[in-house]
Amino acid sequence: MPELDKNYNHLNVEQKRYKQWEESGFFNPDKLPTKNKKPFSIIMPPPNANGSLHLGHALTIAIEDTIIRYKRMRGYKTLWLPGADHAGFETQVVFEKKLEKEGTSRFEILKEKNGREKLYQMIWDFTQKNKLQMEEQIKKLGASCDWSREKFTLDPSIIKIVYETFKKMYDDGLIYRDYRIVNWCPKHQTALSDLEINWEERNDKLYYVKYYLENDPKKFITVATTRPETIPGDFAIAVHPQNKLYKNFIGQFVINPLIHNRKNYDDKIKVISDPLVDKDFGTGALKITPAHDAVDFEIGKKHNLPLDYQIIDWNGKMNNLAGELEGLKVMEAREKAIEILQKTGALEKIEDYTHQVSVCYKCKTTIEPLPRAQWFIKMTAKPKSGNKSLKDLAIEAVKTKKVVFVSKKFEKVFYHWMENIRDWNISRQIIWGIPIPIYYCENCGKEIVYIKNGQPKKCPHCNHSKFIKETDVFDTWFSSGQWPYATLNYPNGKDFKNFYPTDVMETGWDILFFWVARMIMFGMYNTKKTPFKYIYLHGLIRDKDRQKMSKSKNNVIDPLGIIDLYGADALRFSLIVGNAPGNDPIISEEKIRGYRNFTNKIWNASRFVLMNLNDFDNKTTPLLSKNDKEILKDLKNLIKDVTKDMDNFNFHIASEKLYQYFWHVFADKIIEQNKERLQNKKERATAQYLLITVLETSLKTLHPFMPYITEEIYQMIPTKNKKKFLMIEDWPQKI
RNA sequence: GCGCGUAUAGCUCAGUGGUUAGAGCGUCCGUUUCACAUGCGGAAGGUCGUUGGUUCAAAUCCAACUACGCGCACCA
């Protein structure tokens, strides 16, 4: 019998065991000796290759590894496929911060010769370094994923599939380029999707500005606006068609109160009517600045107003069309505009006004709505080859239960978002990403989708042979949205045939729209199937004060530091127990320490059993007492219960039951009761049998949650028909 | 504006109609002898937000209310 330390020391165990598991090849389903040939697969949400792992990642790994290890023990051919995400915009933002610290910027590098290529290479190297580090962290957590199948979102095989999807959607009429108002971040110099902006409440002012009639300078129409600096870009005043107040103004002209002698345009502004205008807001009259507001742009389009008269540039400064405001930043321009309006008497009054302003979700810079040509995906239109829109496909998949949310509440949230979805802007003006495979003919200007290497030889429209390449790249979610089938080598790969649709998608609820919804749409559109059967959404980890963990708040628990202190098993268990799916778990070091104590309990109870097995013969038939039988019956019932919980994704309940049982039934009662029997010659063998049976069964059921310590002890106990690893043992069903 | 959710011990949370409502941490008392002081024995601590309903039975199902949290949204 080996001499065991008095306290469990995870440092002696974890690395050694992981190496053995990995070398065994059993992480790979093809090498797994399984009775039951049924496949079971999970695609790991690929962490962003732009930093180290945080507790949220540890939670993902803990839950998914628990599921995978459980299913593996149930005899499934289990595949858990790891990967990493280039994470376009997110990574570029992180990298730019790094550049800033080094005293330079993305724009400086882009100025250099081949700057674009150079910057791309720099970020590439950065992500590859991070990726290696992340892999090590995932291994430390004990993740039994198949590293031989690992993928990166910029692998050529992935890009190929992403391009083919783009081409298919383009040919299907779902992809189009349009000039319209986009969410522009002046700091990051890119457009953002509707999901990438946040809304902040601001206490601003509402300015009431008079626009005098051209023909009758005594009469005027008052407009309420929060953005007087955009007045130089006004091309109409719009009122509701049924608004009696302004009936006589419709069709007349007013004079722009802020600018005169506009380039190429009159200073006269027509009063028009449009049902989009709210009769009851402000004065009921709306100034129309097509290039600087989404609603105005829509109205402008309908009424044939100039849409590209942009008076704010891409840096958020007033340009030379802004008259006296030229050169000022937007906020400065606002003050200046008010000054001028006040002087000319055009300012009627100012009111306090609280409203929502959109900001960049990364840098909090106020979003500038600006017109720009962008690539979009139609969400509500039918493709040429089918009769259901992406929106309809996704809604139908959930309605028909092809995909099921483990927490029902997210189903409702999903529907709500889906019902109101608008077209998706997939172009980003950044360099870190997959280029949109489009060329514009230099001659006829038409766009050509070209997804092979190199560039098109001849323009199919005019036979010209010179092209300009699109410089925009895809929104990162356009590629990660295709992750489940792309990683499995769609459409002809063996893995795709064996493992698609995958079984569970487990990820944080914060990316339900960004990622999960898009995966469902892409999966349904491309493969006609949902990419997964169940969606398990976990919460966002908070600290003791309910705060989201972030570096700036200095409340981050570093998973690696915690693992070094208390072990991966303790961390994993504390992430699982009491954490119902979908709720935001609160994790403190005290909780983790508490479950570290549990690992020690397991260690010592096992140590006690092992200390008393030197003469144990696993072939003798035990003489079980009534009480012994009762104990085994209870254990059987526990397993039944726990198995049911595991099948229903109730890991938080299963883990707690196992904890209760091991500590307060096995250690407190069963071991105590049998201490005396072990001293009794007649009863010793039976007591040994009972103890080792309960211990072995407990180890098996605890293994998915605490893989390291259970494996370590399993390797030491003398039981019948032992497998090479506990990892590939059978989940206990009969005792 | 539209929608979703939460309220259980001092704190943070589990609890899938059925004994005496649980866990981690914390508090108090006792305890180092042969598995474990990262332990053991014991104790204090709960009108399960409020009110009403359904039921033989409600923390659990339903409704309203109160408080809090969150998501979505082109009201200038």
Side-chain angles (χ1 to χ4, degrees):
Chain A
M1 211 48 54
E3 265 311 299
L4 295 184
D5 292 345
K6 205 166 160 185
N7 279 349
Y8 172 59
N9 186 350
H10 60 275
L11 295 172
N12 297 338
V13 172
E14 298 189 344
Q15 249 182 326
K16 172 185 80 186
R17 288 295 169 205
Y18 194 87
K19 216 171 150 228
Q20 290 172 349
W21 287 332
E22 206 183 352
E23 283 167 358
S24 76
F26 295 143
F27 291 171
N28 182 339
D30 302 330
K31 297 183 178 164
L32 211 50
T34 52
K35 286 173 274 176
N36 175 345
K37 285 276 161 46
K38 268 197 262 172
F40 182 91
S41 56
I42 295 180
I43 307 293
M44 184 189 294
N48 295 347
N50 58 27
S52 48
L53 298 194
H54 51 72
L55 265 194
H57 294 113
L59 176 59
T60 303
I61 299 296
I63 297 171
E64 290 173 24
D65 196 42
T66 299
I67 301 174
I68 282 290
R69 284 181 185 272
Y70 168 66
K71 290 290 178 179
R72 191 181 291 119
M73 291 175 81
R74 291 295 301 267
Y76 287 86
K77 260 174 98 91
T78 44
L79 169 63
W80 186 20
L81 193 150
D85 195 341
H86 72 283
F89 180 59
E90 295 261 345
T91 297
Q92 185 163 314
V93 169
V94 172
F95 193 75
E96 280 186 61
K97 273 187 195 156
K98 190 170 122 85
L99 290 177
E100 230 169 85
K101 270 187 202 158
E102 292 162 3
T104 176
S105 79
R106 147 198 185 192
F107 303 106
E108 288 301 314
I109 294 165
L110 287 173
K111 275 185 211 157
E112 295 171 30
K113 200 186 162 206
N114 294 329
R116 209 180 153 94
E117 289 73 21
K118 197 176 162 194
L119 182 58
Y120 189 92
Q121 189 59 44
M122 285 168 89
I123 305 181
W124 175 274
D125 295 341
F126 174 69
T127 54
Q128 294 311 300
K129 216 175 100 198
N130 283 317
K131 194 168 151 277
L132 276 175
Q133 196 190 329
M134 279 170 9
E135 285 158 13
E136 286 315 304
Q137 293 176 313
I138 292 170
K139 288 178 182 180
K140 273 205 152 184
L141 283 158
S144 60
C145 51
D146 182 5
W147 293 106
S148 73
R149 285 173 162 90
E150 190 189 12
K151 294 281 198 299
F152 182 50
T153 47
L154 295 182
D155 288 347
S157 63
I158 302 287
I159 294 178
K160 185 169 177 267
I161 293 167
V162 168
Y163 276 0
E164 273 160 10
T165 303
F166 180 78
K167 173 111 182 24
K168 186 182 168 193
M169 291 181 123
Y170 185 88
D171 293 342
D172 246 341
L174 292 181
I175 301 238
Y176 64 99
R177 188 168 188 246
D178 193 19
Y179 183 80
R180 65 167 70 165
I181 297 287
V182 295
N183 303 307
W184 184 262
C185 173
K187 173 167 180 194
H188 290 123
Q189 294 286 297
T190 181
L192 298 169
S193 76
D194 293 337
L195 284 175
E196 288 160 320
I197 55 171
N198 289 137
W199 292 87
E200 270 182 9
E201 196 169 273
R202 294 262 172 88
N203 295 317
D204 277 336
K205 306 280 182 200
L206 194 55
Y207 305 94
Y208 288 76
V209 181
K210 297 182 210 168
Y211 289 66
Y212 288 92
L213 272 183
E214 186 198 17
N215 297 330
D216 186 352
K218 276 176 218 134
K219 283 192 183 158
F220 59 85
I221 187 163
T222 304
V223 168
T225 179
T226 52
R227 301 203 60 185
E229 73 278 11
T230 64
I231 290 176
D234 284 357
F235 280 94
I237 300 295
V239 298
H240 194 274
Q242 258 105 57
N243 194 333
K244 284 175 197 149
L245 217 64
Y246 300 116
K247 219 174 134 189
N248 298 327
F249 286 87
I250 297 171
Q252 302 218 54
F253 287 88
V254 294
I255 301 293
N256 189 313
L258 209 55
I259 193 159
H260 305 292
N261 308 320
R262 272 204 290 208
K263 270 180 206 158
N264 306 327
Y265 292 103
D266 235 324
D267 300 330
K268 293 191 300 185
I269 300 173
K270 199 176 182 181
V271 179
I272 58 174
S273 74
D274 195 288
L276 276 176
V277 181
D278 185 343
K279 271 186 289 193
D280 304 318
F281 186 88
T283 61
L286 177 63
K287 74 183 201 61
I288 303 300
T289 322
H292 296 287
D293 182 277
V295 177
D296 294 10
F297 189 88
E298 282 313 303
I299 294 177
K301 217 172 171 178
K302 262 196 269 177
H303 296 266
N304 289 320
L305 303 176
L307 300 176
D308 58 354
Y309 196 85
Q310 191 179 330
I311 61 164
I312 301 171
D313 69 14
W314 303 106
N315 295 308
K317 278 189 179 165
M318 312 305 292
N319 65 15
N320 61 0
L321 296 179
E324 287 183 63
L325 307 180
E326 184 182 349
L328 297 176
K329 286 185 194 160
V330 166
M331 290 311 282
E332 298 164 350
R334 188 170 302 172
E335 279 171 40
K336 177 92 180 175
I338 292 311
E339 210 176 282
I340 297 168
L341 292 171
Q342 229 151 10
K343 250 187 240 165
T344 57
L347 190 67
E348 194 174 282
K349 60 174 174 175
I350 303 175
E351 276 177 1
D352 286 332
Y353 183 58
T354 305
H355 65 148
Q356 309 275 349
V357 175
S358 57
V359 297
C360 171
Y361 80 122
K362 276 287 142 195
C363 67
K364 306 275 171 221
T365 302
T366 304
I367 290 294
E368 202 53 62
L370 292 173
R372 194 178 176 110
Q374 299 278 283
W375 290 91
F376 292 88
I377 300 184
K378 287 182 188 168
M379 287 293 146
T380 53
K382 290 174 191 168
K384 283 179 194 158
S385 68
N387 54 6
K388 277 175 191 143
S389 66
L390 294 175
K391 169 187 164 179
D392 291 344
L393 284 171
I395 290 175
E396 184 194 275
V398 177
K399 284 232 160 96
T400 56
K401 304 224 183 303
K402 282 182 188 140
V403 57
V404 174
F405 284 90
V406 171
S407 341
K408 281 282 162 287
K409 66 174 175 184
F410 292 120
E411 195 176 305
K412 293 177 189 170
V413 177
F414 171 84
Y415 284 136
H416 186 251
W417 186 71
M418 268 297 170
E419 296 291 353
N420 297 301
I421 198 165
R422 294 188 295 154
D423 287 355
W424 174 16
N425 178 356
I426 52 167
S427 37
R428 296 291 177 277
Q429 291 68 51
I430 56 177
I431 69 115
W432 182 240
I434 301 174
I436 298 182
I438 289 280
Y439 290 83
Y440 302 97
C441 174
E442 267 190 5
N443 181 43
C444 70
K446 285 191 175 142
E447 64 203 36
I448 301 147
V449 179
Y450 192 79
I451 61 173
K452 290 178 206 146
N453 288 333
Q455 56 168 342
K457 303 232 155 41
K458 270 184 181 169
C459 172
H461 309 286
C462 71
N463 266 333
H464 191 76
S465 58
K466 281 193 176 162
F467 304 93
I468 299 163
K469 196 176 187 313
E470 172 63 83
T471 54
D472 285 1
V473 301
F474 284 119
D475 178 358
T476 197
W477 302 101
F478 183 79
S479 47
S480 52
Q482 305 184 50
W483 197 234
Y485 57 79
T487 52
L488 294 173
N489 306 323
Y490 171 78
N492 297 316
K494 233 173 83 189
D495 280 350
F496 181 74
K497 290 189 175 119
N498 286 335
F499 293 106
Y500 191 89
T502 65
D503 288 272
V504 183
M505 173 45 62
E506 193 283 336
T507 190
W509 60 252
D510 53 321
I511 51 176
L512 170 58
F513 308 141
F514 278 113
W515 196 40
V516 179
R518 265 91 178 248
M519 283 191 287
I520 296 173
M521 287 192 273
F522 279 122
M524 289 297 287
Y525 172 72
N526 238 345
T527 71
K528 310 273 183 280
K529 285 176 184 166
T530 57
F532 27 76
K533 294 166 201 153
Y534 291 96
I535 302 167
Y536 182 109
L537 295 175
H538 65 245
L540 265 55
I541 294 182
R542 315 261 172 178
D543 72 359
K544 275 182 288 187
D545 305 316
R546 264 176 195 285
Q547 296 292 306
K548 206 174 148 178
M549 288 191 182
S550 74
K551 280 174 200 154
S552 56
K553 282 181 200 140
N554 202 21
N555 61 352
V556 177
I557 296 182
D558 166 33
L560 289 188
I562 283 290
I563 289 175
D564 282 345
L565 267 174
Y566 304 116
D569 288 334
L571 172 62
R572 291 173 53 143
F573 213 72
S574 63
L575 288 167
I576 299 275
V577 178
N579 179 10
N583 291 355
D584 290 351
I586 285 159
I587 302 293
S588 60
E589 193 169 336
E590 290 77 53
K591 185 175 180 186
I592 300 163
R593 199 183 301 137
Y595 290 110
R596 186 276 315 266
N597 294 353
F598 179 47
T599 59
N600 200 50
K601 192 70 184 176
I602 296 174
W603 184 252
N604 276 294
S606 306
R607 194 156 75 100
F608 174 81
V609 174
L610 284 167
M611 282 163 78
N612 287 286
L613 291 182
N614 47 349
D615 58 337
F616 177 60
D617 175 1
N618 63 23
K619 282 170 204 84
T620 35
T621 331
L623 299 157
L624 295 172
S625 70
K626 202 179 152 196
N627 187 44
D628 295 337
K629 285 177 188 162
E630 201 66 32
I631 285 171
L632 293 178
K633 203 180 130 197
D634 287 348
L635 180 58
K636 219 168 147 182
N637 284 335
L638 173 79
I639 289 164
K640 223 171 111 185
D641 259 23
V642 167
T643 303
K644 205 175 136 199
D645 290 334
M646 298 298 281
D647 288 336
N648 291 330
F649 299 97
N650 284 326
F651 312 114
H652 62 303
I653 300 173
S655 53
E656 187 147 0
K657 281 178 186 162
L658 292 170
Y659 171 96
Q660 272 302 304
Y661 182 82
F662 194 95
W663 199 316
H664 301 298
V665 178
F666 180 52
D668 287 357
K669 302 221 168 67
I670 301 175
I671 287 184
E672 291 306 321
Q673 283 167 12
N674 281 277
K675 275 183 177 170
E676 266 184 48
R677 291 173 90 196
L678 286 167
Q679 305 308 316
N680 179 326
K681 269 188 189 168
K682 269 190 205 161
E683 296 205 55
R684 183 168 168 87
T686 304
Q688 286 173 329
Y689 170 84
L690 185 72
L691 290 176
I692 198 159
T693 303
V694 177
L695 176 62
E696 190 194 0
T697 308
S698 292
L699 291 175
K700 285 179 185 172
T701 48
L702 279 166
H703 179 73
F705 302 97
M706 300 187 140
Y708 287 119
I709 188 171
T710 51
E711 183 73 73
E712 180 74 10
I713 297 166
Y714 176 82
Q715 294 299 335
M716 294 186 277
I717 56 173
T719 54
K720 280 196 252 182
N721 310 321
K722 230 164 96 170
K723 298 264 170 68
K724 193 174 173 204
F725 290 109
L726 176 57
M727 180 177 73
I728 52 161
E729 259 289 1
D730 294 332
W731 179 260
Q733 277 165 307
K734 287 176 196 159
I735 309 161

